Amino acid sequence: MINDEKLTLLVEKIKEVLPKKESIPLHEPSFIGDEWKYVKDCIDTGWVSSVGKYVDLFEKKLADYIGVKRVVAVVNGTAALHIALKIIGVQEDDEVLMPSLTFVATANAAVYCGGVPHFVDVEERTLGLDPYKLNEYLHEIAIIKNNQCYNKITGRRIKVVVPMHTFGHPADIDPLLEVCERWKLIMVEDAAESLGSFYKNKHTGTFGKISAISFNGNKIITTGGGGAIITDDEDLADLAKHLTTTAKIPHSWEYVHDMVGYNYRMPNINAALGCAQLEQLPKFIKKKRELARKYKEALRDISGIRFFEEMHFSKSNYWLNTLILEKSFELKRDELLKALNESGIMSRPIWYPLHQLKMYKNNPKMDLSMTEKLSQQIINIPSSMGLWRGSNE
Ligand SMILES: *Cc1c(COP(=O)(O)O)cnc(C)c1O
């Protein structure tokens, strides 16, 4: 039962934006283009798996859209992150700086390489890595030796920084790049959520030496399951392609492999779905931004609630719409989630901070007060492209 007036009003306001349906998912895919046609083509021709034209086509179209030299399509975003971190040189015992406020895959991918996730705090204005706090922290704990960064406390090398663009909102990349420069760190972006999001007019994922995107079923476009490694570095792209396709030396009939590779290649049938989805992406973004505008307007007069918006330097894809519950609301987060979900408005809190998960609770970390505060304040509300006008057009 909701008896708080404000809570009721908030639920009503959100309902006004949404179509009158019994249940509205947080995010569902839309297949309103040539998805069926391209997938059928795979089935009709028999090319559903590791050979076929759609993988090359998807990689090429995606590279054009993003404005990057090379794209390597893989089975999911986690695999993309794994390979990106591996080929950038994350080795046994290297520390990888990353937000604690991210999906668990960011940390897992570092561990797959033998690396150690080292958790960094986020900024309230972007929900992404805090460059200023990171820089101060590195002054305290890091030292440069032989042109490499080391953690004075653990003795381990700090190799990489992984900013993540939360819910599609770009992190403040320029000052982060300055921190990387000063501390001899490599940037690898977890751009899993930010296809179609730009920082200072340049696509997210193009600032890191190599970056990862996801096409999971809940992302802005989907290939069923899928991901991509993106980079401007031809050698890294060639290596990524080789490693993700079992490191087989091209030959018409012989099976010779020259490394321990991975079977991470995106199947043709998934790439076919991706090609059709990519054609729709500009439209999806337009509608998602429109939905965000409507939420913002509807919630304008409710005190204690902030609809999270893009920064002046960003253009966000508004993948998942985000509310920040301020002082007067904060303590009622779970009550609000319950009220929304019971009204058929599927909503959820942000991820449990990674430094509080059982397998990462002893990992190195800085003061994470903003992460801990925000993790209690953030909820996501329905964000599917198809909701933009209260119709399913
Ligand atoms: C979705 C996501 C991933 C992983 O992508 P999958 O395709 O689900 O493996 C990684 N990082 C973040 C931040 C994500 O949101």
Side-chain angles (χ1 to χ4, degrees), residues 285-297:
I285 291 168
K286 198 162 157 251
K287 293 186 172 188
K288 284 171 82 77
R289 290 179 60 84
E290 183 67 13
L291 176 65
R293 201 183 56 74
K294 292 205 162 173
Y295 274 133
K296 183 190 160 195
E297 216 168 273

PDB file of all heavy atoms in Angstrom, residues 285-297:
ATOM      1  N   ILE A 285      17.130   6.432 -31.433  1.00  0.00           N
ATOM      2  CA  ILE A 285      17.715   7.469 -30.574  1.00  0.00           C
ATOM      3  C   ILE A 285      16.792   8.679 -30.507  1.00  0.00           C
ATOM      4  O   ILE A 285      16.542   9.238 -29.436  1.00  0.00           O
ATOM      5  CB  ILE A 285      19.119   7.868 -31.065  1.00  0.00           C
ATOM      6  CG1 ILE A 285      20.082   6.703 -30.829  1.00  0.00           C
ATOM      7  CG2 ILE A 285      19.619   9.123 -30.356  1.00  0.00           C
ATOM      8  CD1 ILE A 285      21.397   6.852 -31.518  1.00  0.00           C
ATOM      9  N   LYS A 286      16.258   9.031 -31.636  1.00  0.00           N
ATOM     10  CA  LYS A 286      15.362  10.181 -31.683  1.00  0.00           C
ATOM     11  C   LYS A 286      14.167   9.959 -30.751  1.00  0.00           C
ATOM     12  O   LYS A 286      13.788  10.824 -29.956  1.00  0.00           O
ATOM     13  CB  LYS A 286      14.895  10.366 -33.129  1.00  0.00           C
ATOM     14  CG  LYS A 286      14.339  11.715 -33.422  1.00  0.00           C
ATOM     15  CD  LYS A 286      14.322  11.984 -34.928  1.00  0.00           C
ATOM     16  CE  LYS A 286      13.296  13.044 -35.238  1.00  0.00           C
ATOM     17  NZ  LYS A 286      12.110  12.507 -35.930  1.00  0.00           N
ATOM     18  N   LYS A 287      13.600   8.776 -30.835  1.00  0.00           N
ATOM     19  CA  LYS A 287      12.417   8.488 -30.022  1.00  0.00           C
ATOM     20  C   LYS A 287      12.746   8.350 -28.548  1.00  0.00           C
ATOM     21  O   LYS A 287      11.962   8.742 -27.685  1.00  0.00           O
ATOM     22  CB  LYS A 287      11.730   7.236 -30.545  1.00  0.00           C
ATOM     23  CG  LYS A 287      11.149   7.470 -31.929  1.00  0.00           C
ATOM     24  CD  LYS A 287      10.336   6.323 -32.417  1.00  0.00           C
ATOM     25  CE  LYS A 287       9.630   6.698 -33.711  1.00  0.00           C
ATOM     26  NZ  LYS A 287       8.664   5.661 -34.119  1.00  0.00           N
ATOM     27  N   LYS A 288      13.908   7.787 -28.269  1.00  0.00           N
ATOM     28  CA  LYS A 288      14.292   7.652 -26.861  1.00  0.00           C
ATOM     29  C   LYS A 288      14.555   9.017 -26.234  1.00  0.00           C
ATOM     30  O   LYS A 288      14.209   9.265 -25.081  1.00  0.00           O
ATOM     31  CB  LYS A 288      15.505   6.730 -26.723  1.00  0.00           C
ATOM     32  CG  LYS A 288      15.113   5.256 -26.878  1.00  0.00           C
ATOM     33  CD  LYS A 288      16.303   4.363 -26.957  1.00  0.00           C
ATOM     34  CE  LYS A 288      16.858   4.049 -25.594  1.00  0.00           C
ATOM     35  NZ  LYS A 288      16.049   3.030 -24.884  1.00  0.00           N
ATOM     36  N   ARG A 289      15.134   9.909 -27.002  1.00  0.00           N
ATOM     37  CA  ARG A 289      15.373  11.262 -26.490  1.00  0.00           C
ATOM     38  C   ARG A 289      14.039  11.987 -26.280  1.00  0.00           C
ATOM     39  O   ARG A 289      13.876  12.761 -25.341  1.00  0.00           O
ATOM     40  CB  ARG A 289      16.306  12.037 -27.436  1.00  0.00           C
ATOM     41  CG  ARG A 289      17.742  11.484 -27.402  1.00  0.00           C
ATOM     42  CD  ARG A 289      18.651  12.234 -28.362  1.00  0.00           C
ATOM     43  NE  ARG A 289      18.735  13.648 -28.068  1.00  0.00           N
ATOM     44  CZ  ARG A 289      19.553  14.206 -27.179  1.00  0.00           C
ATOM     45  NH1 ARG A 289      20.380  13.449 -26.496  1.00  0.00           N
ATOM     46  NH2 ARG A 289      19.553  15.502 -26.993  1.00  0.00           N
ATOM     47  N   GLU A 290      13.104  11.697 -27.138  1.00  0.00           N
ATOM     48  CA  GLU A 290      11.776  12.289 -27.009  1.00  0.00           C
ATOM     49  C   GLU A 290      11.078  11.770 -25.736  1.00  0.00           C
ATOM     50  O   GLU A 290      10.480  12.537 -24.982  1.00  0.00           O
ATOM     51  CB  GLU A 290      10.969  11.935 -28.269  1.00  0.00           C
ATOM     52  CG  GLU A 290       9.592  12.528 -28.340  1.00  0.00           C
ATOM     53  CD  GLU A 290       9.597  14.049 -28.471  1.00  0.00           C
ATOM     54  OE1 GLU A 290      10.660  14.634 -28.750  1.00  0.00           O
ATOM     55  OE2 GLU A 290       8.523  14.628 -28.272  1.00  0.00           O
ATOM     56  N   LEU A 291      11.197  10.474 -25.492  1.00  0.00           N
ATOM     57  CA  LEU A 291      10.614   9.884 -24.279  1.00  0.00           C
ATOM     58  C   LEU A 291      11.230  10.525 -23.032  1.00  0.00           C
ATOM     59  O   LEU A 291      10.524  10.873 -22.075  1.00  0.00           O
ATOM     60  CB  LEU A 291      10.833   8.363 -24.273  1.00  0.00           C
ATOM     61  CG  LEU A 291      10.363   7.611 -23.027  1.00  0.00           C
ATOM     62  CD1 LEU A 291       8.846   7.683 -22.868  1.00  0.00           C
ATOM     63  CD2 LEU A 291      10.802   6.135 -23.085  1.00  0.00           C
ATOM     64  N   ALA A 292      12.542  10.708 -23.075  1.00  0.00           N
ATOM     65  CA  ALA A 292      13.241  11.327 -21.936  1.00  0.00           C
ATOM     66  C   ALA A 292      12.691  12.734 -21.685  1.00  0.00           C
ATOM     67  O   ALA A 292      12.465  13.141 -20.548  1.00  0.00           O
ATOM     68  CB  ALA A 292      14.746  11.364 -22.196  1.00  0.00           C
ATOM     69  N   ARG A 293      12.477  13.465 -22.761  1.00  0.00           N
ATOM     70  CA  ARG A 293      11.954  14.828 -22.639  1.00  0.00           C
ATOM     71  C   ARG A 293      10.579  14.818 -21.961  1.00  0.00           C
ATOM     72  O   ARG A 293      10.260  15.647 -21.120  1.00  0.00           O
ATOM     73  CB  ARG A 293      11.871  15.465 -24.030  1.00  0.00           C
ATOM     74  CG  ARG A 293      11.830  16.984 -24.030  1.00  0.00           C
ATOM     75  CD  ARG A 293      11.667  17.533 -25.446  1.00  0.00           C
ATOM     76  NE  ARG A 293      10.491  17.006 -26.135  1.00  0.00           N
ATOM     77  CZ  ARG A 293       9.240  17.362 -25.884  1.00  0.00           C
ATOM     78  NH1 ARG A 293       8.978  18.264 -24.968  1.00  0.00           N
ATOM     79  NH2 ARG A 293       8.233  16.829 -26.553  1.00  0.00           N
ATOM     80  N   LYS A 294       9.779  13.826 -22.334  1.00  0.00           N
ATOM     81  CA  LYS A 294       8.440  13.723 -21.738  1.00  0.00           C
ATOM     82  C   LYS A 294       8.478  13.403 -20.254  1.00  0.00           C
ATOM     83  O   LYS A 294       7.712  13.966 -19.469  1.00  0.00           O
ATOM     84  CB  LYS A 294       7.637  12.643 -22.457  1.00  0.00           C
ATOM     85  CG  LYS A 294       7.327  13.051 -23.870  1.00  0.00           C
ATOM     86  CD  LYS A 294       6.097  12.349 -24.373  1.00  0.00           C
ATOM     87  CE  LYS A 294       5.590  13.085 -25.579  1.00  0.00           C
ATOM     88  NZ  LYS A 294       4.498  12.403 -26.236  1.00  0.00           N
ATOM     89  N   TYR A 295       9.358  12.487 -19.887  1.00  0.00           N
ATOM     90  CA  TYR A 295       9.518  12.178 -18.466  1.00  0.00           C
ATOM     91  C   TYR A 295       9.932  13.432 -17.707  1.00  0.00           C
ATOM     92  O   TYR A 295       9.421  13.736 -16.642  1.00  0.00           O
ATOM     93  CB  TYR A 295      10.602  11.118 -18.267  1.00  0.00           C
ATOM     94  CG  TYR A 295      10.153   9.676 -18.383  1.00  0.00           C
ATOM     95  CD1 TYR A 295      10.877   8.770 -19.144  1.00  0.00           C
ATOM     96  CD2 TYR A 295       9.050   9.202 -17.672  1.00  0.00           C
ATOM     97  CE1 TYR A 295      10.515   7.432 -19.231  1.00  0.00           C
ATOM     98  CE2 TYR A 295       8.672   7.873 -17.747  1.00  0.00           C
ATOM     99  CZ  TYR A 295       9.413   6.982 -18.525  1.00  0.00           C
ATOM    100  OH  TYR A 295       9.050   5.671 -18.590  1.00  0.00           O
ATOM    101  N   LYS A 296      10.902  14.133 -18.288  1.00  0.00           N
ATOM    102  CA  LYS A 296      11.443  15.308 -17.613  1.00  0.00           C
ATOM    103  C   LYS A 296      10.326  16.318 -17.352  1.00  0.00           C
ATOM    104  O   LYS A 296      10.186  16.857 -16.251  1.00  0.00           O
ATOM    105  CB  LYS A 296      12.533  15.932 -18.486  1.00  0.00           C
ATOM    106  CG  LYS A 296      13.207  17.107 -17.829  1.00  0.00           C
ATOM    107  CD  LYS A 296      14.094  17.851 -18.802  1.00  0.00           C
ATOM    108  CE  LYS A 296      14.349  19.240 -18.270  1.00  0.00           C
ATOM    109  NZ  LYS A 296      14.885  20.126 -19.299  1.00  0.00           N
ATOM    110  N   GLU A 297       9.520  16.518 -18.367  1.00  0.00           N
ATOM    111  CA  GLU A 297       8.429  17.476 -18.254  1.00  0.00           C
ATOM    112  C   GLU A 297       7.413  17.023 -17.199  1.00  0.00           C
ATOM    113  O   GLU A 297       6.976  17.801 -16.359  1.00  0.00           O
ATOM    114  CB  GLU A 297       7.745  17.580 -19.621  1.00  0.00           C
ATOM    115  CG  GLU A 297       7.268  18.952 -19.968  1.00  0.00           C
ATOM    116  CD  GLU A 297       6.877  18.993 -21.430  1.00  0.00           C
ATOM    117  OE1 GLU A 297       7.779  19.252 -22.251  1.00  0.00           O
ATOM    118  OE2 GLU A 297       5.701  18.726 -21.736  1.00  0.00           O
TER     119      GLU A 297
END
